[in-house]
Amino acid sequence: MSNPYLCPNCKTNRTRFNIMEQVPVSVKLDPGTGNLVHQYSEEESLDPFHLPYNGSSRLVQCAACGVTGEEEMFIKRAQSKPL
Ligand SMILES: [Zn+2]
């Protein structure tokens, strides 16, 4: 299922976008060096103090004016101003 987009900034672009799929990787780092101590696999459960990624799965950039935001912003704007 797809949804129309409309840029909430320039308010004219409905066709040209750059879409960034977010692929979160949960890691544990060494506090002193920043070196990777552990990278969680998808099946593995996170430790009790590690919150899972809760951001949007997809970011969208308007390829006309360059503004970047959550996909929802572009969908909502298109729904409020249908063609
Ligand atoms: Zn725009």
Side-chain angles (χ1 to χ4, degrees), residues 7-9 18 20 59-62 65-70 73-74:
C7 175
N9 187 52
N18 300 313
M20 285 78 66
L59 291 178
V60 175
Q61 182 177 47
C62 172
C65 74
V67 80
T68 300
E70 303 205 348
M73 287 170 32
F74 289 79

Side-chain angles (χ1 to χ4, degrees), residues 3-77:
N3 292 293
Y5 288 172
L6 172 59
C7 175
N9 187 52
C10 66
K11 302 179 178 68
T12 54
N13 177 33
R14 294 177 188 263
T15 56
R16 292 183 298 278
F17 300 96
N18 300 313
I19 294 173
M20 285 78 66
E21 300 289 351
Q22 307 289 88
V23 184
V25 177
S26 297
V27 297
K28 192 163 196 174
L29 303 181
D30 180 282
T33 64
N35 288 338
L36 186 64
V37 174
H38 185 70
Q39 179 170 327
Y40 295 91
S41 67
E42 278 182 43
E43 304 79 43
E44 194 177 357
S45 49
L46 299 167
D47 79 46
F49 299 106
H50 194 130
L51 295 173
Y53 177 72
N54 66 355
S56 58
S57 60
R58 182 180 273 184
L59 291 178
V60 175
Q61 182 177 47
C62 172
C65 74
V67 80
T68 300
E70 303 205 348
E71 181 186 39
E72 200 60 23
M73 287 170 32
F74 289 79
I75 294 173
K76 285 223 171 83
R77 177 62 69 158

